[in-house]
Amino acid sequence: KFCHDTITVVERNIDSCVSGSIATRMFWLKSLGDYWRYLAEVDRELGVKSEIARNAAESAYRAAIELAGSAGVPIADAVRLGAYLNYSVLLFEVLDDQQGAMKMCRAILDKAAAEGVRDANNPEIDLIVGYFDKNLALWEDAIEAEEEDEIERDMLGSASNVHEEIDLSKLHL
């Protein structure tokens, strides 16, 4: 209920800031994605596969990312990085697109390195980029452990991935 109530408030803020700053709209779109993702995560824990929450979260994150990319917001922007970070979590944890999530993390880390993001001495940005590093390491370990389990169970192949392969160019990466 809290998430649904918050989503209603966030959607009102998005609607009211159409002519507002890019940063404000990005913030509200990222927030909208976050609350829809929370719902999708709860649904998943309860064994419910809610396409509405999953699709709404993905749509909101993509809208924030598209807005940032088309407006030329630098990669070293905390809201832009936060949208990418949380979208990668959605991909990995909810949409079962582990490879897409890791591909996005690697692309962000490469772009951040190329643009000297970590050299800017911005603690907030350093923290967010650090989360990309940590998530990527955790996810790689999890996939390696899963592959080892599959070998032990003598299972061939991998689970089918119904999620469309991530296109980094559409994410301005």
Side-chain angles (χ1 to χ4, degrees):
K1 182 176 178 350
F2 174 79
C3 284
H4 283 290
D5 292 346
T6 304
I7 287 167
T8 301
V9 171
V10 170
E11 285 175 337
R12 268 191 250 133
N13 280 306
I14 292 171
D15 291 343
S16 68
C17 76
V18 171
S19 61
S21 74
I22 299 293
T24 301
R25 286 186 285 158
M26 282 173 30
F27 170 81
W28 287 114
L29 286 166
K30 181 201 152 297
S31 296
L32 183 63
D34 291 342
Y35 283 98
W36 277 115
R37 190 186 88 234
Y38 302 152
L39 282 175
E41 288 172 347
V42 168
D43 287 349
R44 183 180 176 112
E45 289 298 315
L46 296 174
V48 176
K49 192 171 183 177
S50 171
E51 293 299 318
I52 293 170
R54 293 162 49 116
N55 292 341
E58 183 171 27
S59 178
Y61 287 136
R62 282 185 173 260
I65 289 166
E66 176 58 33
L67 180 60
S70 63
V73 175
I75 196 69
D77 178 87
V79 176
R80 182 176 181 183
L81 280 174
Y84 284 121
L85 179 67
N86 295 358
Y87 182 35
S88 70
V89 171
L90 175 77
L91 287 169
F92 194 94
E93 300 291 339
V94 177
L95 299 179
D96 295 320
D97 185 4
Q98 289 82 12
Q99 295 304 317
M102 292 188 309
K103 183 178 177 181
M104 184 189 304
C105 283
R106 286 186 201 101
I108 291 292
L109 291 169
D110 290 347
K111 191 169 181 88
E115 295 186 18
V117 169
R118 287 196 164 164
D119 299 331
N121 293 324
N122 181 327
E124 183 180 21
I125 299 303
D126 290 343
L127 184 64
I128 297 169
V129 173
Y131 284 131
F132 280 104
D133 280 328
K134 289 176 185 174
N135 284 356
L136 187 56
L138 285 170
W139 294 341
E140 287 172 340
D141 288 347
I143 287 176
E144 185 177 309
E146 186 177 298
E147 288 171 353
E148 288 173 4
D149 287 346
E150 285 181 12
I151 291 170
E152 287 177 14
R153 290 188 308 256
D154 197 32
M155 295 177 69
L156 298 175
S158 62
S160 68
N161 184 353
V162 296
H163 195 267
E164 180 181 322
E165 183 176 336
I166 194 95
D167 181 351
L168 295 176
S169 66
K170 289 184 180 177
L171 298 173
H172 301 277
L173 294 173

